[in-house]
């Protein structure tokens, strides 16, 4: 018999993250490295423990191996209790066969037994791919005060971006009268953050109804929430005013890492009152050589820097060679940038190597605006000596030597 928990959190961490290209070829989006020492999943996990939530389910599906290994028994987040803590919840075999999660609502439906064993009053449903710090206990208190069936965290977004989100149209008391999923002509700029507090009895009932509806796509935003509104349930928006970033694209992931270098501190990871916990490798301190130059950058343990690094984030174990230049870039764990190489406005994935005198990416002012974007080098990829990778490229296989014009055009690169 499991002890009662008044709140259970469920983190949806099974998405493929196809817009991140080669970064999610081998790992789930929540397992992507972030900020020099973290992975994206660290943020909702840390928010849970800081908010006093002790029972956390992490729903995995796509490429779960690294995420499962990373979470382990939950010890880094103090979520390793015998009868609660964090549990990884993949789709499981039923008597009639295996069912992949069909949508966000179906993912929770398949794991109602996990929730039920704690007999909670409230269930917090979270996305595993957002960067933010939030006290869920305050949102739960708001939910209780309003006697709501569901409370949805909301953030104000620019009107030109509102069509990318689920939009909450509300009355003066923040009660929701309409939920529009990615509307072409949004009526407001109050966007859903994909963070929900449900009263468990209501959630359980509506998930069961949604599951037997053959016309439903089994999604909270498209099906469950609009149905609850039509049924007359009380839904409220909870306004959030802090830093929040959906890192579902290359550009937003790059921007969020660069935000850490903002001197105005858009996202403070040094706040002792709200720590973000992670599982870190044990490496020696970083080394900055006398010939190196480092400005406004994050340098993690185990890095060896002999070149120039400016406005960049270096993860654990990165090597920057002599006379190499790294600017406005993210260099993930174990990557090597060899001597004379230049990396600008790029994301270099784990254990990739950029050989001597290669050039990766370019500055916006040096490229046609229609052709410019962040360049991404995939995990374990090797870029050979003297090869240039243009802006907005995404390279998933090693390129050692290019001999002909046809070969250059085929892979979108050129030799110096």
């Amino acid at each position: 018999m499991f002890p009662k928990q008044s709140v259970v959190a469920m983190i949806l961490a099974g998405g493929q993250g196809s817009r991140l290209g080669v970064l999610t070829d081998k790992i789930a989006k929540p397992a992507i490295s972030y900020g020099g020492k973290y992975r994206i999943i660290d943020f909702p996990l840390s928010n849970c423990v800081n908010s006093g939530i002790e029972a956390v389910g992490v729903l995995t599906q796509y490429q779960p191996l690294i995420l499962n290994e990373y979470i382990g028994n939950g010890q880094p987040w103090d979520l390793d209790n015998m009868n609660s803590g964090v549990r990884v919840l993949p789709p499981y075999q039923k008597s009639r066969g295996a069912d992949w999660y069909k949508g966000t609502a179906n993912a929770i439906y398949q794991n109602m037994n996990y929730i039920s064993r704690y007999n909670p009053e409230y269930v917090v449903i979270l996305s595993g791919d957002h960067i933010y710090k939030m006290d869920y206990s305050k949102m739960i208190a708001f939910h209780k005060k309003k006697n709501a069936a569901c409370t949805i965290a909301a953030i104000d977004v620019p009107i030109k971006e509102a069509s990318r989100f689920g939009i909450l149209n509300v009355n003066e008391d923040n009660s929701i009268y309409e939920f529009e999923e990615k509307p072409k002509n949004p009526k407001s700029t109050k966007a859903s953050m994909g963070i929900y507090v449900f009263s468990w009895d209501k959630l359980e009932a509506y998930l069961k109804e949604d599951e037997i509806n053959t016309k439903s796509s089994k999604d909270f935003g498209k099906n469950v929430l609009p149905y609850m509104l039509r049924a007359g349930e009380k839904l409220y928006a909870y306004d959030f005013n802090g830093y929040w970033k959906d890192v579902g694209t290359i550009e937003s992931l790059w921007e969020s890492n660069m935000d850490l270098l903002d001197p105005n501190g858009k996202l403070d990871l040094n706040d002792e009152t709200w720590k973000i916990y992670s599982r870190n490798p044990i490496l020696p301190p970083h080394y900055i050589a006398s010939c190196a130059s480092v400005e406004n950058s994050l340098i993690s343990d185990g890095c060896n820097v002999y070149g120039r690094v400016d406005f960049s984030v270096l993860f654990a174990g990165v090597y920057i060679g002599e006379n190499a230049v790294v600017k406005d870039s993210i260099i993930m764990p174990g990557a090597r940038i060899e001597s004379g190489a230049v990396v600008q406005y790029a994301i270099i994935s784990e254990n990739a190597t950029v050989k001597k005198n290669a050039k990766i990416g370019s500055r916006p002012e040096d490229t046609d605006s229609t052709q410019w974007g962040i360049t991404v080098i995939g995990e374990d990829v090797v870029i050979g000596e003297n090869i240039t990778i243009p802006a907005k490229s995404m390279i998933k296989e090693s390129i050692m030597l290019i001999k002909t014009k046809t070969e250059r055009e085929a892979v979108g690169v050129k030799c110096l």
Side-chain angles (χ1 to χ4, degrees), residues 41 62 69 81 85 109 132 154 163 191 216 226 240-241 244 255 262 268 270 298 307 324 344 403:
I41 193 68
Y62 172 80
E69 290 179 341
N81 296 331
Y109 173 83
Y132 66 109
S163 294
S216 173
F240 178 75
N241 298 311
W244 178 81
E255 288 171 1
D262 188 331
D268 183 9
N270 296 314
L298 292 177
Q344 300 184 95
K403 298 178 181 179

Side-chain angles (χ1 to χ4, degrees), residues 1-19:
M1 182 69 180
F2 285 84
K4 178 179 173 63
Q5 297 282 343
S6 62
V7 180
V8 171
M10 302 291 277
I11 302 176
L12 298 166
Q16 181 176 353
S18 57
R19 291 179 298 168

Side-chain angles (χ1 to χ4, degrees), residues 71 123 137 148 214 234 237 246 260 278 282 308 315 324 397:
I71 293 173
V123 176
S137 66
T214 57
K234 292 169 41 175
D246 180 348
L260 297 177
S278 66
I282 300 174
R308 179 182 174 187
F315 285 77
E397 296 181 2

Side-chain angles (χ1 to χ4, degrees), residues 325-344:
V325 176
V326 175
K327 300 182 71 175
D328 303 285
S329 294
I330 303 165
I331 315 297
M332 291 188 172
R336 288 180 61 86
I337 313 299
E338 296 189 351
S339 61
V342 177
V343 176
Q344 300 184 95

Side-chain angles (χ1 to χ4, degrees), residues 133 243 260 265-272 274 276:
K133 296 194 293 186
Y243 181 92
L260 297 177
K266 290 183 180 179
L267 179 61
D268 183 9
L269 296 182
N270 296 314
D271 182 1
E272 290 295 321
W274 199 270
I276 303 299

Side-chain angles (χ1 to χ4, degrees), residues 256-331:
S256 188
N257 274 271
M258 295 300 107
D259 285 343
L260 297 177
L261 306 176
D262 188 331
N264 295 321
K266 290 183 180 179
L267 179 61
D268 183 9
L269 296 182
N270 296 314
D271 182 1
E272 290 295 321
T273 66
W274 199 270
K275 292 183 178 180
I276 303 299
Y277 302 93
S278 66
R279 185 184 299 278
N280 290 310
I282 300 174
L283 292 172
H286 64 257
Y287 172 74
I288 310 295
S290 59
C291 59
S293 170
V294 177
E295 294 186 31
N296 198 33
S297 298
L298 292 177
I299 312 295
S300 299
D301 290 351
C303 289
N304 287 276
V305 181
Y306 297 87
R308 179 182 174 187
V309 178
D310 185 15
F311 210 76
S312 295
V313 177
L314 273 56
F315 285 77
V318 164
Y319 172 86
I320 308 295
E322 197 168 345
N323 296 318
V325 176
V326 175
K327 300 182 71 175
D328 303 285
S329 294
I330 303 165
I331 315 297

Side-chain angles (χ1 to χ4, degrees), residues 132-321:
Y132 66 109
K133 296 194 293 186
M134 182 177 182
D135 188 345
Y136 303 134
S137 66
K138 293 181 179 179
M139 183 175 173
I140 294 166
F142 175 88
H143 178 88
K144 292 179 182 178
K145 181 179 179 180
K146 296 294 187 180
N147 192 29
C150 175
T151 299
I152 305 172
I155 191 166
D156 191 57
V157 298
I159 187 66
K160 64 180 181 180
E161 296 181 17
S163 294
R164 295 174 43 226
F165 298 91
I167 295 298
L168 309 177
N169 298 318
V170 303
N171 299 307
E172 289 186 5
D173 63 350
N174 253 21
S175 60
I176 301 170
Y177 67 84
E178 185 179 29
F179 185 97
E180 294 184 288
E181 182 69 12
K182 299 181 179 179
K184 290 183 179 180
N185 299 299
K187 299 174 184 175
S188 81
T189 56
K190 196 180 288 288
S192 168
M193 297 167 63
I195 299 170
Y196 312 121
V197 174
F198 284 94
S199 296
W200 171 229
D201 58 341
K202 297 290 188 180
L203 176 62
E204 184 179 26
Y206 281 100
L207 285 178
K208 289 178 178 178
E209 285 193 34
D210 183 68
E211 188 62 23
I212 62 176
N213 181 356
T214 57
K215 296 181 180 180
S216 173
S217 55
K218 316 304 180 189
D219 184 84
F220 279 108
K222 295 177 182 177
N223 308 111
V224 176
L225 297 174
Y227 185 74
M228 291 179 71
L229 279 175
R230 289 195 298 270
E233 298 289 357
K234 292 169 41 175
L235 275 67
Y236 282 84
Y238 175 79
D239 292 327
F240 178 75
N241 298 311
Y243 181 92
W244 178 81
K245 196 83 165 182
D246 180 348
V247 288
T249 66
I250 292 295
E251 291 74 16
S252 61
L253 177 64
W254 179 84
E255 288 171 1
S256 188
N257 274 271
M258 295 300 107
D259 285 343
L260 297 177
L261 306 176
D262 188 331
N264 295 321
K266 290 183 180 179
L267 179 61
D268 183 9
L269 296 182
N270 296 314
D271 182 1
E272 290 295 321
T273 66
W274 199 270
K275 292 183 178 180
I276 303 299
Y277 302 93
S278 66
R279 185 184 299 278
N280 290 310
I282 300 174
L283 292 172
H286 64 257
Y287 172 74
I288 310 295
S290 59
C291 59
S293 170
V294 177
E295 294 186 31
N296 198 33
S297 298
L298 292 177
I299 312 295
S300 299
D301 290 351
C303 289
N304 287 276
V305 181
Y306 297 87
R308 179 182 174 187
V309 178
D310 185 15
F311 210 76
S312 295
V313 177
L314 273 56
F315 285 77
V318 164
Y319 172 86
I320 308 295

